[in-house]
Amino acid sequence: MMNKYTASERKVDLYEIGDGLTLMNIVTKNENGKTRAVHTYIGYEGEGFACVAHSEGLDEPGVIYSYSSHVRMLKANLPYLLDCFWSNIK
C-alpha cells in the first residue's frame, strides 16, 4: 500500500544522557504538519548511533499521540533502551 503522505519535515532532537551518550529522536511530519513517525537512536562518542526504538503511523486516524509523552516514556525506559544500544554496538 502506498503511503498517502510524503515527508515534509524532519526535526532532530538531541538529549545528553550522561557518560558520553546521546539520545537522538528524528521526528518526521506529514504534509499537514502532524507527526508521522519518531525514530530513536542512542550514540556513544566515536561509536556511532544505534536505533533503539521507532514509532510509525502516528498520523493515522484515531491515533492519539503526544511528543512530550513520548519523551517521558523514553526517559522511563532508558535502562532498557541502553541495553538495546549496548547489544547493537558489540
Side-chain angles (χ1 to χ4, degrees):
M1 180 177 177
M2 192 169 149
N3 193 333
K4 62 183 176 179
Y5 300 114
T6 58
S8 64
E9 179 183 341
R10 280 207 170 133
K11 175 180 147 186
V12 177
D13 284 335
L14 297 171
Y15 302 92
E16 296 299 321
I17 54 178
D19 298 325
L21 293 164
T22 302
L23 184 137
M24 174 175 62
N25 285 326
I26 299 177
V27 181
T28 305
K29 296 190 176 198
N30 67 22
E31 62 191 15
N32 297 321
K34 286 187 74 176
T35 300
R36 183 175 84 189
V38 179
H39 291 82
T40 301
Y41 300 84
I42 292 179
Y44 185 65
E45 297 171 345
E47 295 291 330
F49 284 83
C51 185
V52 294
H54 68 276
S55 301
E56 297 190 30
L58 302 173
D59 60 345
E60 296 295 321
V63 174
I64 299 172
Y65 174 76
S66 160
Y67 184 70
S68 60
S69 293
H70 182 89
V71 171
R72 282 193 302 275
M73 183 274 309
L74 291 174
K75 288 179 182 177
N77 290 303
L78 192 55
Y80 170 76
L81 297 175
L82 287 169
D83 283 345
C84 291
F85 170 73
W86 291 118
S87 295
N88 282 312
I89 65 161
K90 291 181 180 180

